[in-house]
């Protein structure tokens, strides 16, 4: 399936950076476009539903998406995502600190990405 | 009223590096240095230590940090605010006085207590996470309320150079000196909201200056071996400019600040602290120069009437075992090893976790990536029995001679587990207290 860093494949990693945080059994994932012009693209493609589908092995609960146009950023609050949470989880990464890169592994449609690049010129 | 106040953060967790705080204390021209060292379960572990050794229960690194920092703090008149008191702030205060005497320094220490609310709980309080009574989680070890600025302000009004607390909400450690210095009203919720933004950006120290951020391909950060921890120059109106000491490594940029602003935030429009319900959605970050970021626009509404209480309970033990496989069919051999373990002891655990490190351990999937060259089997099980938890590592180790070909590097671990649930208490039932210690 996906080979993340080859020339033809676009993943979120190519256009955005991310940070993971935890509160109990809830995972927070914030997503920031390198170029603010890509914020619209992120809003369009990174819906709570698509992120939920992409992270189906990780997030067992609901995902709520917040938009922060000032930064700009998308912020995903993912419930029931840390196998019980930092204190009692048997996961190797009970905080879920590595999971920002699970989000960045998500594929995005190449054509809209190219359009966004064109719009900048 | 002060013009601008410079507050630095020299530690963002209990195990943080020691020397960035010294760089701040010596060269940072600080008014205040904050060391935030108390994670959710740290205090419950400290409570266990205090029960065994009544003179302990404060942060294990308190002595090393204070011995290092005190001379510079005293010489430069930098006030220290830290939650390193953990489960025993009074013993921590006495320890700091003892260190000051050994160093021939004259010192006043103010200790804030009152966060320990174990005696106020019945056990019937509903856990915020589950709705079930907190006593049903397991034997309760500790209960600490998140105190706010109202607990810290009386300490600031003394001549104490060092202020030691137990559980205080992290941003409040930073908001308190701003309120004290600028005379902000404690119901000026927009100011407190902006102050909370400042505290939130600083509280994880190196996470604002390139730590937990760097990626050598997409986000390179210079000189991380010498990462500088941040400070903020705050004006009376709450405008803050964040920087780090010249010559330190790391990077303070719009990107690092944005990532930290949303770190561990649930609803960015309602960030709840004991002081205010802050709104981060109007925050504007701008570049004020190289490694200088300005933040404005934090607001807030009235503080909550209840305080969050973090309840620690005995959650048994986790046992772990690991073993590596490399070369052709490494992953298949690791999978076979895992299945052998599951057949032998899987039925003894509610949920025996079997991970393939190098493949699917961190993210519970590899999104279809092909097999790695080497794989490390990891097995983990949680149980109330110490012996049963230890069995996990023993079983994995025994695969040396009873398992698939080429298994090597066995390691086994056994941890005591402290779980955390949260409850709330009416804030009027909680009475913060102040104790002063002096070297002479």
């Amino acid at each position: 399936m996906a080979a993340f860093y080859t020339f033809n494949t676009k993943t979120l990693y190519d256009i955005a950076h991310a940070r993971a945080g935890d509160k109990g059994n809830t995972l927070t994932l914030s997503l920031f476009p390198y170029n603010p012009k890509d914020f619209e693209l992120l809003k369009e493609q990174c819906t709570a539903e698509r992120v939920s589908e992409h992270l189906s092995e990780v997030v067992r609960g609901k995902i709520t998406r917040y938009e922060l146009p000032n930064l700009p950023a998308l912020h995903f609050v993912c419930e029931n995502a840390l196998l019980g949470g930092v204190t009692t989880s048997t996961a190797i990464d009970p905080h879920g600190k590595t999971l920002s890169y699970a989000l960045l592994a998500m594929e995005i449609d190449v054509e809209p990405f190219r359009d966004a690049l064109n719009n900048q010129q | 009223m002060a013009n601008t106040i410079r507050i630095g953060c020299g530690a963002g967790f209990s195990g943080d590096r020691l020397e960035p705080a010294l760089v701040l204390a010596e060269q940072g021209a600080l008014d205040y240095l904050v060391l935030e060292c108390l994670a959710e379960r740290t205090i419950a572990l400290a409570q266990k230590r205090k029960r065994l050794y009544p003179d302990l229960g404060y942060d294990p690194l308190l002595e090393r940090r204070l011995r290092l920092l005190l001379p510079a703090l005293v010489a430069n008149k930098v006030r220290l605010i830290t939650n390193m008191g953990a489960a025993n702030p009074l013993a921590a205060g006495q320890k700091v006085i003892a260190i000051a005497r050994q160093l021939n320094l004259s010192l006043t220490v103010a200790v804030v207590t009152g966060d320990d609310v174990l005696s106020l709980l019945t056990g019937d309080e509903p856990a915020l996470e589950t709705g079930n009574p907190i006593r049903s989680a397991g034997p309760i070890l500790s209960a600490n309320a998140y105190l706010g600025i109202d607990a810290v302000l009386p300490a600031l009004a003394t001549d104490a150079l060092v202020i030691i607390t137990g559980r205080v909400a992290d941003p409040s450690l930073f908001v308190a000196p701003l309120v004290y210095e600028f005379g902000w009203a404690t119901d000026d919720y927009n100011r407190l909201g902006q102050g909370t933004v400042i505290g939130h950006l600083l509280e994880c120290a190196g996470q604002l200056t390139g730590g937990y951020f760097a990626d050598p391909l997409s986000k390179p950060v210079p000189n991380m071996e010498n990462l500088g921890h941040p400070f903020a120059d705050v004006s009376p109106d709450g405008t803050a400019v964040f920087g780090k000491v010249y010559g330190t490594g790391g990077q303070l940029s719009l990107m690092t600040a944005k990532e930290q602003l949303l770190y561990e935030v649930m609803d960015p429009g309602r960030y709840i602290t004991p002081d205010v319900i802050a709104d981060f959605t109007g925050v504007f970050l701008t570049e004020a120069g190289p490694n200088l970021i300005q933040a404005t626009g934090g607001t807030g509404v009235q503080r909550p009437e209840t305080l969050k209480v973090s309840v620690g309970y005995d959650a048994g033990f986790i046992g772990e075992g690991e073993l590596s496989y490399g070369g052709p069919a490494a992953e298949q051999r690791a999978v076979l090893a895992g299945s052998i373990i599951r057949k032998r002891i899987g039925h003894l655990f509610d949920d025996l976790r079997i991970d393939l490190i190098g493949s699917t351990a961190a993210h519970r999937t590899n999104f279809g990536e092909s097999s790695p060259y080497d794989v490390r089997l990891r097995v983990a099980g949680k149980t109330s029995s110490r012996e049963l938890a230890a069995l996990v590592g023993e079983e994995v180790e025994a695969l040396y001679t009873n398992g698939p070909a080429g298994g090597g590097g066995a390691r086994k671990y056994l941890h005591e587990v402290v779980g955390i649930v949260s409850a709330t208490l009416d804030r009027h039932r909680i009475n913060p207290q102040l104790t002063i210690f002096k070297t002479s």
Side-chain angles (χ1 to χ4, degrees):
Chain A
M1 218 179 87
F4 300 146
Y5 313 118
T6 57
F7 182 75
N8 290 322
T9 311
K10 290 290 178 201
T11 64
L12 282 176
Y13 181 82
D14 297 313
I15 63 162
H17 57 110
R19 176 166 293 197
D22 65 284
K23 272 276 188 298
N25 199 16
T26 300
L27 167 73
T28 65
L29 294 170
S30 338
L31 185 66
F32 311 86
Y34 286 111
N35 186 332
K37 287 180 179 168
D38 285 335
F39 185 51
E40 289 304 316
L41 177 75
L42 293 183
K43 276 203 300 191
E44 193 182 298
Q45 297 216 13
C46 302
T47 58
E49 293 71 27
R50 275 208 65 197
V51 171
S52 210
E53 192 184 324
H54 174 67
L55 296 177
S56 60
E57 296 292 327
V58 175
V59 181
R60 303 284 156 79
K62 188 177 130 196
I63 295 184
T64 306
R65 186 180 93 167
Y66 297 92
E67 297 175 15
L68 293 109
N70 275 9
L71 295 178
L74 293 177
H75 187 61
F76 300 92
V77 176
C78 314
E79 295 169 25
N80 194 6
L82 298 172
L83 301 179
V86 53
T87 56
T88 56
S89 168
T90 53
I92 192 162
D93 169 23
H95 300 89
K97 285 182 183 286
T98 66
L99 290 168
S100 48
Y101 278 74
L103 176 61
L104 292 180
M106 188 170 115
E107 290 184 20
I108 48 169
D109 292 340
V110 172
E111 285 308 315
F113 174 68
R114 284 184 181 149
D115 289 344
L117 272 184
N118 292 339
N119 290 342
Q120 288 159 26
Q121 290 159 3
Chain B
M1 188 170 72
N3 282 325
T4 66
I5 292 298
R6 178 172 285 189
I7 303 181
C9 184
F13 80 109
S14 156
D16 211 337
R17 289 179 183 165
L18 270 66
E19 76 280 359
L22 183 63
V23 172
L24 281 169
E26 286 182 336
Q27 304 167 50
L30 299 184
D31 297 298
Y32 290 87
L33 174 65
V34 176
L35 303 177
E36 196 291 288
C37 296
L38 204 49
E40 269 209 312
R41 87 178 149 167
T42 318
I43 205 159
L45 297 170
Q47 196 72 42
K48 283 181 108 167
R49 230 167 17 246
K50 183 184 172 186
R51 277 188 202 167
L52 288 174
Y53 310 101
D55 293 341
L56 297 180
Y58 50 80
D59 186 286
L61 289 181
L62 174 99
E63 179 164 3
R64 281 170 69 189
R65 290 194 196 276
L66 269 291
R67 204 173 278 285
L68 185 69
L69 293 173
L70 269 183
L73 296 175
V74 170
N76 299 330
K77 298 188 175 62
V78 178
R79 294 185 93 178
L80 175 71
I81 305 175
T82 180
N83 53 14
M84 274 193 288
N88 202 348
L90 290 170
Q94 285 166 318
K95 185 72 198 177
V96 173
I97 289 293
I99 296 166
R101 284 191 182 127
Q102 285 169 14
L103 298 172
N104 283 320
L105 298 170
S106 173
L107 189 71
T108 303
V109 177
V111 175
V112 177
T113 52
D115 60 308
D116 185 342
V117 295
L118 190 57
S119 63
L120 295 180
L121 297 182
T122 63
D124 296 326
E125 293 80 2
L128 297 180
E129 293 83 356
T130 60
N132 299 326
I134 52 174
R135 70 163 87 240
S136 67
I140 293 177
L141 300 168
S142 67
N144 293 79
Y146 283 81
L147 304 180
I149 55 172
D150 41 357
V152 182
L153 286 171
L156 289 165
T158 69
D159 64 345
L161 192 75
V162 173
I163 295 161
I164 293 182
T165 74
R167 174 59 73 204
V168 168
D170 297 346
S172 307
L173 297 169
F174 301 85
V175 177
L178 298 177
V179 169
Y180 173 72
E181 294 285 347
F182 297 138
W184 291 350
T186 53
D187 60 356
D188 185 347
Y189 293 113
N190 284 331
R191 288 267 190 282
L192 298 185
Q194 169 66 8
T196 298
V197 167
I198 296 164
H200 180 74
L201 282 169
L202 287 172
E203 73 181 55
C204 294
Q207 283 196 184
L208 185 64
T209 49
Y212 194 46
F213 170 87
D215 179 325
L217 297 186
S218 60
K219 300 184 291 178
V221 172
N223 302 323
M224 296 189 71
E225 69 286 357
N226 182 30
L227 196 78
H229 283 189
F231 56 73
D233 287 327
V234 187
S235 301
D237 70 354
T239 300
V241 178
F242 296 83
K244 65 187 186 68
V245 172
Y246 186 78
T248 58
Q251 170 193 314
L252 213 172
S253 66
L254 281 177
M255 288 200 291
T256 66
K258 285 178 197 180
E259 285 200 14
Q260 187 56 26
L261 182 68
L262 295 180
Y263 177 67
E264 288 185 341
V265 169
M266 305 293 275
D267 179 349
R270 285 179 62 82
Y271 184 83
I272 303 171
T273 82
D275 312 316
V276 61
I277 298 175
D279 183 350
F280 291 3
T281 59
V283 170
F284 269 102
L285 299 169
T286 49
E287 229 163 51
N291 288 308
L292 286 176
I293 294 296
Q294 177 176 291
T296 56
T299 58
V301 297
Q302 186 165 1
R303 69 183 194 179
E305 280 309 303
T306 55
L307 294 183
K308 185 174 157 185
V309 177
S310 186
V311 179
Y313 65 94
D314 188 338
F317 302 88
I318 288 179
E320 289 177 83
E322 294 178 6
L323 192 63
S324 282
Y325 298 87
E331 186 162 10
Q332 288 85 344
R333 283 177 285 133
V335 167
L336 171 60
S339 72
I340 294 168
I341 297 291
R342 190 176 294 288
K343 282 176 189 163
R344 286 180 59 83
I345 63 170
H347 60 283
L348 302 174
F349 295 85
D350 289 342
D351 177 24
L352 189 70
R353 177 136 204 97
I354 297 187
D355 286 322
L356 300 177
I357 297 175
S359 178
T360 54
H363 295 173
R364 274 96 86 183
T365 173
N366 61 5
F367 299 106
E369 282 283 277
S370 56
S371 270
Y373 182 80
D374 72 40
V375 175
R376 189 160 176 81
L377 170 74
R378 170 183 180 265
V379 184
K382 187 164 90 67
T383 158
S384 57
S385 154
R386 178 184 282 272
E387 290 70 28
L388 189 52
L391 183 65
V392 176
E394 291 159 12
E395 281 289 327
V396 172
E397 187 179 39
L399 289 173
Y400 265 143
T401 55
N402 299 282
R411 301 277 189 281
K412 50 187 176 183
Y413 311 95
L414 178 63
H415 321 276
E416 280 183 57
V417 184
V418 170
I420 295 288
V421 287
S422 308
T424 55
L425 262 186
D426 183 335
R427 66 187 307 147
H428 302 294
R429 294 186 60 200
I430 297 165
N431 295 306
Q433 279 129 36
L434 179 63
T435 309
I436 303 292
F437 297 108
K438 288 176 184 288
T439 43
S440 55

